[in-house]
Amino acid sequence: MDIRAQISMVFHLDKCIGCHTCSIACKNIWTDRKGAEYMWWNNVETKPGTGYPHRWEDQEDYQGGWILNGGEIELKGTGKKRLLKNIFHNSTLPVLDDYYEPWTYTYSDLFDSPQGDDQPVARPYSMVTGEYMDVKAGPNWDDDLGGSELYAKNDVNYDALTSAEREDLHHLQKMVMMYLPRICNHCQNPACLASCPSGAIYKRGEDGVVLINQEKCRAWRMCVTGCPYKKTYYNWQSGKSEKCVLCYPRLEAGEAPACMHSCVGRIRYIGVLLYDKDKIEGIIHQDEKQLIQAQKEAIVDPFDPEVIKAAQDCGVSTHMIESAQKSPVYKWVKEWNLALPLHAEYRTVPMLFYVPPLLPVMGNISHNLYDNNGDQFFTSIDDCRLPIKYLASLFSCGDESLVRDVLKKLMAVRVHRREVTTGDISRSQADDALSQAGITAEEAEAIYKLSSLCTFDQRFVIPASHREEAIEMTKMVLEHKGEVGFGFKEDPERI
Amino acid sequence: MSQFLFGVFPYIASVLAVVITIYEYRRNSFHFSSISSQFLEGRKLFWGSIPWHYGVLTVLLGHLLAFLFPSAYIAFAKVPMRLLILEVISLVCGFMAFLGLVMLFKRRMLDSRINIITTNFDISLLLLLLIQVASGVGVALFYRWGSSWYASAVVPYLRSLWVLDPEISYIANMPFVVKLHVFNSFLIVAIIPFTRLMHFLVAPVHYFWRPYQIVIWNWSRRKIRKADQQ
Ligand code: HEM
Ligand code: SF4
């Protein structure tokens, strides 16, 4: 066993209200710079929809991630074999128009215009070229737009649905949408890292955060193609690639990443998972159907004395182990089996997990009358407005049973709480729902608490990173005092 | 004058290039980058970058081989058919490089998005390279057979530079285009550390030997792990 610690995340999609506060918090801290205007390390997309960049899930086009080729794992569009072909011109690189051209407005015209017959207006202009432009696309142009011909219809996950099912999602009264907030998954088998010819990208041993060394990046731009989630971005001004850093300076100071800290829906959880590094090789070679199961098996029980012993032998700090024991992520992912990775079929072993949304049908319009679905208060999950097939395409490599198991549990928790609070459901009905979902009333209660009543400290369990000890190795602590900070030692100028 | 241009300047250029490049690499390796502009414009880049790089790298490889093994080269090219093939390959690559460069130059000047990230150094570099490739192709076209007397006349000159005993008589009576080609090449060497040309010095060859995944440990715990255990 080679036990390592990984800071991992869970996003509870039932709670996301699509407010984009997370994106703005991130933008303000990290990407409000020249060359990075178009970047949204954190973005929230509306699904069904095409996402950002446009149709990023279409790997036939973007060629990201890993594939199994005759039992061997290889990078789909990058890697050693394809370097010479790709390096002078990378045919699968998403370009500015695949994201959107960032713009702002001539606000000063509102104040400085000479007096005239018309109201002055602020005109949009490009933040790249400075020229006036007609704004035609943005990072969340289809915000809240279920059923759209242009966006929802072009959702890559529609491939999993029959045409009748697709049509269904575009009927006026059946339209549906959900939010999908996305950041870098800080994967255990990162394809961006493996694609980087310069070796500028690395995974931190202590906590698994994936970072790009700006000093070593040479703009070969293979990571942008390599990452199937399109979460590495090329800065056109500095000539360097950038990505979500999981706010590591904040993490090291014991604070939650800005997107998580600011999340209005409180959908985000962060905590440590201990995993067995030796098993990663096995996971990525698994058949698609077994991928998620294998990934979960590699995550080990932080209470198991054998694991604790092994972790200590592998140099995982005591703080790390303690914090793995308190980790909310462990509960969601392992204990309750409620959280699933996004598009595990890309084989990067992503460490951001999602609790899929329930979207129950509470009522239907029939004969122009609103009908509250008969006697059962909570409808059967197969009547979910968003087809299970669709969710399975996102979260379980197409395996509907995995999603159904999760939804059953989520539903059972609701039934159970309904019985407890209003009592208009009988206890036997509630117990029935619980046993069908395979959880006990205590578990349901715990899930309910961590979903709805969770405090700040329950959502964010961040281990001490002991940078002070790391500094001691290289310099006198007192000398270092007052020097701490991050950023460039030199101006990040182009030549 | 010739003495300076061909006897002294090459040293100034090379020393400048080597010293400043090493200094930059140590002080601020941030500057080492191909500064790709494909993100802002991809189509025209394809028609520029692909022919340019394949063309110029092949031609440079030819120059290098003849420089390293001149006698073997002359012996090889004694057979007219072989000489012809060599000349045709280098001419084709020369043309590819030239057309690619023209495309790159046009793109730099005319594309509105590329315009805003184009610096004077970018333009100067492209101009110098244009002169270089044009004069090279000119030599190949008008002074047959350039490849042979490159090996027999220019290589000895370059080697005399290398052993710090410049023998400019080899080059003094050459036609103007040849002199231009030689002098300009040192000019390009001189500006390497000031332009994106540094990117070919950091071409990612070590990629082929390294394992795909890289893990870096921040602190002492890495000592208890063996170096190969990533
Ligand atoms: C050894 C391997 C080399 C590699 C891997 C390489 C790679 C690249 C890359 C990735 C770019 C950026 C293209 C983009 O905008 O996306 C580039 C641009 C360029 N390269 Fe190279 N290159 C190499 C050798 C050379 C050599 C030997 C020269 C010149 C003698 C050269 C001259 C240029 C120039 C002038 C540009 C700028 C094109 C522009 O105007 O945008 N390269 N190269
Ligand atoms: S801040 Fe939270 S609730 Fe708001 S969009 Fe982001 S993830 Fe959703």
Side-chain angles (χ1 to χ4, degrees):
Chain A
M1 273 202 277
D2 181 1
I3 303 292
R4 297 192 183 179
Q6 164 88 38
I7 298 210
S8 330
M9 300 75 74
V10 164
F11 291 0
H12 194 316
L13 295 185
D14 259 338
K15 297 172 74 184
C16 180
I17 58 172
C19 60
H20 301 270
T21 308
C22 44
S23 310
I24 297 298
C26 176
K27 167 119 303 222
N28 278 339
I29 293 187
W30 295 113
T31 59
D32 191 15
R33 291 170 285 129
K34 193 148 182 61
E37 304 94 338
Y38 83 94
M39 294 180 201
W40 294 87
W41 293 356
N42 180 110
N43 75 305
V44 183
E45 20 197 83
T46 298
K47 287 273 169 194
T50 49
Y52 157 90
H54 190 71
R55 278 174 67 84
W56 61 270
E57 292 156 294
D58 185 356
Q59 303 311 339
E60 288 319 305
D61 193 4
Y62 287 121
Q63 302 276 316
W66 303 83
I67 49 165
L68 267 194
N69 191 355
E72 278 310 304
I73 182 129
E74 66 173 56
L75 288 158
K76 189 172 169 73
T78 51
K80 300 176 187 180
K81 268 199 273 177
R82 296 183 189 80
L83 185 64
L84 195 62
K85 169 178 136 308
N86 282 343
I87 198 156
F88 304 120
H89 178 275
N90 177 2
S91 54
T92 50
L93 182 83
V95 293
L96 184 64
D97 297 312
D98 289 318
Y99 300 84
Y100 74 108
E101 184 162 355
W103 74 92
T104 183
Y105 295 89
T106 56
Y107 291 112
S108 58
D109 284 358
L110 299 181
F111 303 100
D112 305 340
S113 299
Q115 200 163 10
D117 293 334
D118 302 308
Q119 287 275 7
V121 289
R123 289 177 67 185
Y125 67 94
S126 164
M127 286 167 94
V128 178
T129 61
E131 286 162 18
Y132 288 121
M133 62 183 271
D134 239 352
V135 178
K136 293 220 176 66
N140 56 337
W141 211 237
D142 57 336
D143 206 26
D144 295 356
L145 210 61
S148 130
E149 291 287 318
L150 251 178
Y151 293 96
K153 271 229 167 115
N154 287 315
D155 187 321
V156 177
N157 299 290
Y158 269 24
D159 291 353
L161 306 180
T162 65
S163 54
E165 285 165 327
R166 289 182 215 184
E167 280 311 308
D168 237 21
L169 289 172
H170 290 260
H171 280 161
L172 198 55
Q173 282 143 2
K174 290 190 172 172
M175 273 179 199
V176 62
M177 55 115 194
M178 61 178 258
Y179 297 112
L180 184 66
R182 301 201 298 124
I183 65 173
C184 165
N185 297 288
H186 296 278
C187 306
Q188 285 176 341
N189 184 36
C192 59
L193 197 169
S195 306
C196 175
S198 303
I201 310 186
Y202 61 100
K203 191 169 176 71
R204 295 213 298 193
E206 289 77 8
D207 57 9
V209 175
V210 178
L211 296 173
I212 303 180
N213 183 341
Q214 297 284 296
E215 298 272 328
K216 278 174 123 188
C217 171
R218 309 274 180 247
W220 308 122
R221 68 238 177 289
M222 294 302 145
C223 54
V224 185
T225 293
C227 174
Y229 301 93
K230 290 295 164 271
K231 279 294 169 193
T232 44
Y233 300 86
Y234 181 71
N235 182 317
W236 53 264
Q237 172 66 29
S238 66
K240 304 279 166 169
S241 290
E242 303 178 2
K243 66 181 282 301
C244 157
V245 296
L246 205 61
C247 283
Y248 74 86
R250 291 173 60 97
L251 279 182
E252 286 170 7
E255 284 184 43
C259 59
M260 316 216 174
H261 196 136
S262 63
C263 176
V264 174
R266 302 182 183 183
I267 80 157
R268 298 181 174 217
Y269 302 80
I270 190 168
V272 175
L273 292 179
L274 298 181
Y275 69 101
D276 185 356
K277 163 74 170 45
D278 291 339
K279 290 204 176 136
I280 303 296
E281 210 39 44
I283 301 176
I284 56 181
H285 284 91
Q286 284 289 344
D287 190 59
E288 209 159 85
K289 290 273 169 296
Q290 263 82 54
L291 267 175
I292 295 176
Q293 190 54 33
Q295 180 179 3
K296 288 195 173 177
E297 271 162 21
I299 299 168
V300 291
D301 179 358
F303 296 99
D304 180 346
E306 239 173 73
V307 168
I308 295 176
K309 170 87 179 46
Q312 278 163 344
D313 290 348
C314 294
V316 179
S317 73
T318 318
H319 263 122
M320 236 353 147
I321 300 172
E322 278 167 11
S323 115
Q325 292 172 339
K326 286 187 238 151
S327 167
V329 178
Y330 184 76
K331 293 203 176 92
W332 287 117
V333 176
K334 272 286 270 204
E335 253 180 72
W336 301 330
N337 266 312
L338 279 172
L340 298 167
L342 176 65
H343 287 305
E345 70 272 19
Y346 301 156
R347 294 177 191 274
T348 62
V349 195
M351 292 315 273
L352 159 56
F353 301 84
Y354 292 89
V355 179
L358 203 45
L359 295 169
V361 184
M362 301 298 283
N364 254 327
I365 308 269
S366 55
H367 308 297
N368 289 330
L369 284 175
Y370 186 80
D371 175 21
N372 164 341
N373 283 45
D375 40 330
Q376 252 200 313
F377 187 81
F378 288 103
T379 49
S380 129
I381 48 165
D382 281 297
D383 291 336
C384 263
R385 290 214 307 237
L386 210 52
I388 301 232
K389 259 192 206 164
Y390 180 86
L391 291 174
S393 163
L394 281 173
F395 300 116
S396 65
C397 308
D399 184 349
E400 291 172 48
S401 67
L402 275 183
V403 173
R404 194 171 283 119
D405 284 349
V406 172
L407 296 189
K408 263 192 200 154
K409 278 186 202 167
L410 293 176
M411 189 60 92
V413 173
R414 282 166 168 75
V415 173
H416 162 78
R417 285 304 300 172
R418 181 85 192 177
E419 191 275 333
V420 172
T421 49
T422 66
D424 62 356
I425 291 178
S426 72
R427 191 60 239 170
S428 69
Q429 259 178 315
D431 284 341
D432 202 33
L434 287 174
S435 73
Q436 271 186 34
I439 48 173
T440 62
E442 291 74 49
E443 275 174 321
E445 204 61 23
I447 294 170
Y448 154 69
K449 288 219 171 94
L450 198 59
S451 306
S452 310
L453 303 177
C454 44
T455 64
F456 197 89
D457 293 335
Q458 286 164 340
R459 280 182 285 139
F460 310 127
V461 180
I462 296 162
S465 63
H466 296 298
R467 286 301 279 211
E468 71 285 3
E469 287 179 30
I471 293 161
E472 270 173 39
M473 287 188 356
T474 50
K475 47 162 72 169
M476 294 291 295
V477 181
L478 287 178
E479 245 172 60
H480 187 78
K481 201 173 157 191
E483 276 179 22
V484 189
F486 51 88
F488 291 94
K489 293 192 296 296
E490 318 285 337
D491 279 350
E493 288 165 344
R494 302 162 61 88
I495 42 168
Chain B
M1 188 62 188
S2 292
Q3 185 61 37
F4 175 76
L5 292 185
F6 300 106
V8 180
F9 181 71
Y11 290 111
I12 302 181
S14 313
V15 169
L16 218 82
V18 171
V19 171
I20 302 185
T21 304
I22 293 176
Y23 175 74
E24 273 287 289
Y25 191 80
R26 305 197 131 190
R27 191 190 66 102
N28 194 1
S29 61
F30 186 85
H31 280 174
F32 282 70
S33 167
S34 72
I35 330 179
S36 167
S37 53
Q38 191 188 346
F39 179 74
L40 293 179
E41 198 289 317
R43 296 279 348 129
K44 289 179 226 154
L45 180 77
F46 176 84
W47 295 109
S49 182
I50 293 277
W52 158 247
H53 279 100
Y54 287 131
V56 79
L57 287 175
T58 315
V59 172
L60 276 180
L61 185 71
H63 280 62
L64 185 70
L65 286 179
F67 173 74
L68 292 176
F69 316 105
S71 42
Y73 176 82
I74 292 168
F76 176 82
K78 272 224 172 77
V79 185
M81 198 54 201
R82 293 189 188 156
L83 176 64
L84 191 69
I85 292 177
L86 274 181
E87 285 280 326
V88 169
I89 293 180
S90 35
L91 203 57
V92 168
C93 288
F95 268 119
M96 267 167 58
F98 183 74
L99 292 178
L101 259 187
V102 171
M103 194 69 209
L104 287 172
F105 191 71
K106 255 178 66 186
R107 171 173 174 269
R108 285 273 160 201
M109 303 312 286
L110 299 180
D111 191 277
S112 64
R113 283 188 187 164
I114 297 304
N115 239 320
I116 49 150
I117 51 160
T118 298
T119 62
N120 290 339
F121 272 123
D122 286 336
I123 295 175
S124 327
L125 174 64
L126 287 178
L127 278 178
L128 286 183
L129 288 174
L130 263 175
I131 295 175
Q132 189 64 9
V133 177
S135 59
V137 171
V139 171
L141 278 181
F142 301 116
Y143 298 94
R144 249 170 286 169
W145 303 91
S147 60
S148 291
W149 53 256
Y150 164 67
S152 56
V154 185
V155 167
Y157 158 70
L158 291 176
R159 295 191 148 209
S160 74
L161 282 179
W162 180 248
V163 295
L164 302 182
D165 181 17
E167 190 60 68
I168 63 164
S169 56
Y170 285 115
I171 205 107
N173 296 320
M174 288 278 177
F176 172 74
V177 210
V178 179
K179 284 185 179 167
L180 178 67
H181 193 71
V182 172
F183 174 74
N184 198 51
S185 67
F186 285 109
L187 206 54
I188 293 175
V189 169
I191 62 162
I192 286 179
F194 306 103
T195 63
R196 65 144 58 72
L197 259 193
M198 289 195 291
H199 73 277
F200 82 84
L201 301 175
V202 288
V205 272
H206 54 296
Y207 185 45
F208 295 100
W209 287 278
R210 79 154 222 246
Y212 268 130
Q213 298 297 352
I214 301 175
V215 176
I216 293 183
W217 297 85
N218 250 327
W219 51 307
S220 64
R221 316 238 168 221
R222 100 185 114 178
K223 284 189 189 149
I224 63 168
R225 288 174 182 270
K226 287 177 219 75
D228 58 14
Q229 228 183 327
Q230 287 220 325

